[in-house]
Amino acid sequence: MSKKFDVVIGNPPYQDELIGDNETKRPPMYHLFMDAAFEISKQTVLVTPARFLSNAGQTPRSWNQKILADEHLRVALFAPESSDIFPGTDIDGGIVVTYRDATRTIGPIGHHSHVPPALKEFIVTNVSAPSLATTITEHPCSWRPQVFADHPDLKGRIPASSGLRLKTNTFKRMAEVCLASEPDDGHSYVQILGRLNGKRATRWVRRDYLETPDVVDAFKVIIASADGAAAQSGRVLGMPSVAAPGTGFTQTYLAIGQFDSKAEAEACAKYVTTKFARAMLSALKANSKHNSAIRWNYVPMQDFGPDSDIDWSRSVPQIDQQLYAKYTLDPAAISFIETEIEALA
């Protein structure tokens, strides 16, 4: 005998077990509970992660599209910062409370973001286009067993719950193998960007002590993984920098792109400082401090090579004008970007 409920109210489990030591790769579960709740009840109120609202995260794209097109579903509350709903939590993409009533048409959600009306048409039109988010490396180097074989006393420095990635406190916790200068000892080293005593710092780590993603040996654009430049400030993003091959980074930073040439990386750095790119970023960043890949979902991909339709040798303001023309932004959208988004020095 099947069970039927008048109303389902819940906060379902969000993720399944870890895949390896990477807590960001826990498969989502909440979408399965949403489907089950919709089957057994005509009315549901559920609190879940909000990533699906921008067709992002690890929930299946087909499921995202189905939910966003559901005429019986609406957003009751959206909190870009999960700590506003659950103090002490940090759920990327924020939290959403959804309400579904199978007896009424109250949706669909369609497109959801904090983007102002002036930019909404552009984003809705381009939401399925390739985005810069696909080029971002969020989870950099991790420790290999060799470091603990050579330095057994270091193993106890890393709590089992934190995994082996190079965390924000790596330079202090693993000081014996994070060296201030590159030794001439016959070993190959990787220069690691991180923070120490509240300041940006670099340290040298033996390559055979690290698992390194391909981006380490390419040119890339480095940005802070979190900063105070929320959308409301008008800055949206801090100043990026270009890093050369042989450079890794702790969780303090993210990398954009994986380039063969310094010129391409410099073009990408110019792009992310444009008012246009930062306005698109602000649509999902809202008041969040995080710069994670999900926030870049509406920032269009560009060709940063010599055959690009954008002349990257121009100044950033001139590049903005090229981007406005490329995407045929209307005067209201251009006025919003130029007025509300601060220039980066």
Side-chain angles (χ1 to χ4, degrees):
M1 179 179 177
S2 62
K3 294 183 179 180
K4 294 292 182 180
F5 296 84
D6 292 327
V7 178
V8 172
I9 300 175
N11 177 213
Y14 295 165
Q15 296 170 309
D16 204 341
E17 296 299 317
L18 284 173
I19 297 178
D21 75 330
N22 188 346
E23 60 262 29
T24 67
K25 295 300 182 183
R26 293 179 179 179
M29 295 179 64
Y30 64 91
H31 64 296
L32 304 176
F33 282 83
M34 290 179 72
D35 284 344
F38 297 163
E39 287 181 8
I40 65 174
S41 176
K42 292 181 178 179
Q43 295 178 314
T44 62
V45 179
L46 296 172
V47 184
T48 69
R51 291 184 285 271
F52 72 89
L53 292 177
S54 56
N55 197 21
Q58 296 181 57
T59 46
R61 290 292 186 270
S62 57
W63 181 86
N64 293 347
Q65 293 164 5
K66 176 188 73 173
I67 291 298
L68 294 175
D70 188 338
E71 294 184 346
H72 304 291
L73 186 71
R74 68 177 176 86
V75 172
L77 175 67
F78 171 60
E81 290 295 314
S82 62
S83 58
D84 292 342
I85 304 296
F86 301 117
T89 64
D90 186 11
I91 299 171
D92 201 9
I95 288 291
V96 64
V97 179
T98 52
Y99 171 63
R100 189 175 192 272
D101 187 339
T103 68
R104 295 191 297 144
T105 298
I106 56 176
I109 294 171
H111 169 79
H112 184 88
S113 76
H114 281 285
V115 67
L119 298 183
K120 185 164 289 187
E121 181 179 352
F122 169 82
I123 288 179
V124 171
T125 302
N126 290 275
V127 70
S128 61
S131 78
L132 206 63
T134 61
T135 75
I136 291 179
T137 302
E138 294 187 74
H139 310 294
C141 309
S142 58
W143 296 108
R144 298 183 65 194
Q146 185 64 43
V147 69
F148 303 113
D150 291 353
H151 302 272
D153 54 314
L154 294 183
K155 191 160 182 65
R157 304 272 186 89
I158 302 178
S161 60
S162 71
L164 295 176
R165 290 204 306 276
L166 272 60
K167 304 287 185 173
T168 56
N169 58 2
T170 287
F171 291 167
K172 184 174 291 186
R173 196 179 288 267
M174 302 285 280
E176 290 87 340
V177 293
C178 296
L179 309 177
S181 59
E182 183 178 13
D184 183 14
D185 60 3
H187 291 287
S188 175
Y189 282 80
V190 175
Q191 188 176 35
I192 302 294
L193 304 178
R195 291 185 72 81
L196 184 64
N197 299 323
K199 296 181 179 179
R200 181 168 176 151
T202 60
R203 289 293 184 268
W204 294 88
V205 179
R206 272 174 50 174
R207 187 177 282 270
D208 61 337
Y209 285 167
L210 297 172
E211 295 286 354
T212 54
D214 292 341
V215 71
V216 167
D217 293 308
F219 287 98
K220 56 269 182 184
V221 176
I222 299 292
I223 61 171
S225 60
D227 56 42
Q232 285 85 344
S233 73
R235 286 178 60 82
V236 186
L237 184 72
M239 186 65 74
S241 61
V242 171
T247 307
F249 46 98
T250 70
Q251 277 189 313
T252 303
Y253 297 102
L254 305 175
I256 304 176
Q258 189 171 313
F259 304 106
D260 294 329
S261 70
K262 184 178 180 182
E264 289 174 290
E266 290 175 337
C268 180
K270 270 190 172 181
Y271 178 49
V272 301
T273 62
T274 62
K275 289 187 174 185
F276 170 82
R278 288 183 293 118
M280 298 306 113
L281 174 62
S282 73
L284 291 176
K285 190 172 182 184
N287 64 349
S288 173
K289 63 183 180 180
H290 296 289
N291 294 319
S292 48
I294 187 176
R295 315 285 180 179
W296 296 79
N297 215 38
Y298 297 151
V299 182
M301 178 73 78
Q302 304 294 331
D303 179 354
F304 299 110
D307 296 327
S308 175
D309 54 0
I310 299 296
D311 182 354
W312 300 111
S313 68
R314 300 289 186 174
S315 68
V316 170
Q318 290 172 326
I319 292 171
D320 264 321
Q321 295 301 318
Q322 293 180 72
L323 292 165
Y324 299 156
K326 174 178 178 175
Y327 293 106
T328 60
L329 265 63
D330 63 33
I334 296 172
S335 176
F336 171 84
I337 293 172
E338 289 292 326
T339 303
E340 300 298 326
I341 305 299
E342 282 187 16
L344 292 182

